[in-house]
Amino acid sequence: MDLVRRVAGLPLVAVVIGLAATALAWHRLGPVPRNTVWAEDGGVFLRERIALGPVDTLLHPYAGYLHLLPRMVVDLGYALPIARYAQVVSLSSCLVVGAVCALVFVLSRDVVRPWPFRLVLAAVPVVLPLAPYEISGNAANLHWYLLVLVPWVFAHRSRTWWGAVALAVVTGLAVLTEPQTIVFLPLLLLAWTPRGTQPGTQRGTQPVRSTRGVRLLPLPVTVVALAGAVAQVVTTATHPRDLTPGAPAFRDVLAGFLLRPVAGAWDPDLGGVLAAVVAHGWARVLVPAAVLLVVLVAGVVVGPARVRWTVLALTLGSGGVWWAALLANDGVGVSWASPTATMAAIPPQRYAAAAGLLLVSAAVVAAAALADTTRWSRVAERTGGAGRLVGALAAWCVVAAVVTSAVLHVAPTDTRRSGGPVWAEQLPAAAEACRADPTLEVVRVRSNPWSSPVACDWLFR
């Protein structure tokens, strides 16, 4: 009865978490960024929505891959009054992130059993210090949040066919939006791994007999994930992205990872971190990074198989995102291994935030494994009571660090959209330009950092 009561309450808890996460993401943006149209939301996506219509634009390639969910958000904004376009896109993007948080909370319950750790894990996408600077509150960067969600979607074993189909829909939206989700495809094996009891059952309860229908529950997600991966690979092959020549040295990749995703996990002032490294040496980032590495390794050692693979996938995924982004965007790039004072002016990159999301998530999962001593591996249990005490202390220190960082940076801060331009304030002048020239069909409205094509009939709709 207790299990039934808890499962019945799970949807309500997930809804509350999703709404709270949405509200926090919206609050952290601040009034000007949430009313400013960002990058592709007012450029490529909006322009192609106007030119191609609501259907043909959805799976239209851009920059070497598909962007299904961001284009759907732009479609929604275009269908509503133009004065609300920036707000609709920002709010819709925050709602998607809220849904990601709620789904992570639900889907991670077989891996992260202590509910405080699972709550912190679900909150990571909206409390990461770097998130509001560029990736939060706009459709163009929703793919990073889906990348954080996908490992949990792939590894989860649904209880019912309705759940399996719903999760397959989420899978399609994610994989057809972000091609790097492909690196997490091996986690599908966790969903197919047989178990003696249904996931979520308690000790002492009667095992549920395995039937063919139960064994096939991971099939919808698997089929959709593989089909979406094929679609992304074909798109990349037929519409290749223009890449900057050259490749960064491994030492620069590693140093940049320490100075950006690792440092950004607790401090959004990456320029200040780099200046401190230049002035006082690498200890500023190496000491926290070493502590983080110990927690991750300990989580892999003490946790059961699912925890091990999840921590490894999230950690390697974090490094892979950072490295792939440098290859795709920077070429030889910045000499992070030899920082200078002038490099403190380099703003945070969006892929540093994406890698940070995965890294902090891995740390929380590892911490949960340290705290959940009932599931420790046989090797770890040999450490006895002292090992459990140290593990629990380290685990709660991780939670305290994430919560403290979230509280210190909950207020709106400077973002790439803090200077505007505010979308709605420009529309009266655009409407006047349309009235002054009846032959004019399209006017330009400034967005950040580009400008947006606005049809006169949209202005007067």
Side-chain angles (χ1 to χ4, degrees), residues 154 156-158 161 164 188 191-193 213-223:
F154 287 174
H156 182 72
R157 187 182 183 91
S158 299
W161 280 106
L188 288 168
W192 286 94
T193 301
V214 172
R215 290 199 302 268
L216 292 179
L217 281 173
L219 185 62
V221 169
T222 302
V223 170

Side-chain angles (χ1 to χ4, degrees), residues 154 171 175 185 188 220-232:
F154 287 174
T171 301
V175 179
L185 285 177
L188 288 168
V221 169
T222 302
V223 170
V224 173
L226 294 177
V230 170
Q232 289 285 18

Side-chain angles (χ1 to χ4, degrees), residues 38-332:
W38 173 250
E40 286 87 354
D41 300 354
V44 175
F45 295 158
L46 179 60
R47 182 174 67 247
E48 292 182 348
R49 165 61 183 85
I50 295 172
L52 302 176
V55 177
D56 292 344
T57 187
L58 291 179
L59 296 178
H60 190 71
Y62 164 63
Y65 62 101
L66 305 174
H67 305 253
L68 177 58
L69 189 56
R71 291 186 183 274
M72 293 174 66
V73 170
V74 169
D75 276 356
L76 176 62
Y78 186 73
L80 297 175
I82 187 173
R84 299 294 183 187
Y85 180 73
Q87 291 179 331
V88 169
V89 172
S90 295
L91 180 57
S92 300
S93 300
C94 289
L95 283 168
V96 170
V97 176
V100 167
C101 294
L103 284 170
V104 168
F105 182 82
V106 173
L107 300 177
S108 63
R109 66 187 184 274
D110 292 333
V111 177
V112 182
R113 295 202 308 179
W115 71 263
F117 291 85
R118 191 145 48 96
L119 187 60
V120 172
L121 175 68
V124 167
V126 291
V127 301
L128 186 82
L130 285 182
Y133 185 77
E134 181 173 353
I135 71 171
S136 180
N138 60 81
N141 285 288
L142 283 178
H143 57 113
W144 299 123
Y145 293 100
L146 298 181
L147 192 61
V148 176
L149 173 63
V150 154
W152 301 108
V153 174
F154 287 174
H156 182 72
R157 187 182 183 91
S158 299
R159 271 70 165 174
T160 67
W161 280 106
W162 285 110
V165 172
L167 209 56
V169 173
V170 174
T171 301
L173 291 173
V175 179
L176 292 176
T177 297
E178 172 53 66
Q180 292 181 96
T181 55
I182 296 174
V183 302
F184 293 116
L185 285 177
L187 291 177
L188 288 168
L189 296 175
L190 294 180
W192 286 94
T193 301
R195 288 184 169 191
T197 59
Q198 281 285 68
T201 56
Q202 302 298 302
R203 292 181 178 180
T205 57
Q206 186 66 25
V208 179
R209 290 185 179 179
S210 179
T211 65
R212 178 174 297 180
V214 172
R215 290 199 302 268
L216 292 179
L217 281 173
L219 185 62
V221 169
T222 302
V223 170
V224 173
L226 294 177
V230 170
Q232 289 285 18
V233 170
V234 170
T235 300
T236 301
T238 55
H239 299 80
R241 179 189 181 113
D242 292 332
L243 300 177
T244 305
F250 178 74
R251 63 180 182 277
D252 290 322
V253 174
L254 181 58
F257 188 74
L258 294 173
L259 291 169
R260 297 279 133 164
V262 175
W266 75 85
D267 190 348
D269 184 12
L270 297 185
V273 172
L274 189 142
V277 169
V278 172
H280 306 293
W282 283 91
R284 175 69 181 269
V285 292
L286 285 177
V287 171
V291 174
L292 176 61
L293 181 61
V294 169
V295 171
L296 294 173
V297 172
V300 171
V301 171
V302 308
R306 286 179 176 269
V307 170
R308 295 172 188 170
W309 289 115
T310 303
V311 172
L312 284 172
L314 292 171
T315 304
L316 295 177
S318 175
V321 165
W322 173 254
W323 199 338
L326 293 183
L327 288 173
N329 295 282
D330 290 342
V332 175

Side-chain angles (χ1 to χ4, degrees), residues 415-437:
T415 75
R416 294 196 66 178
R417 287 168 284 166
S418 294
V422 174
W423 175 266
E425 292 178 354
Q426 305 175 72
L427 299 184
E432 184 60 31
C434 289
R435 292 191 188 97
D437 185 358

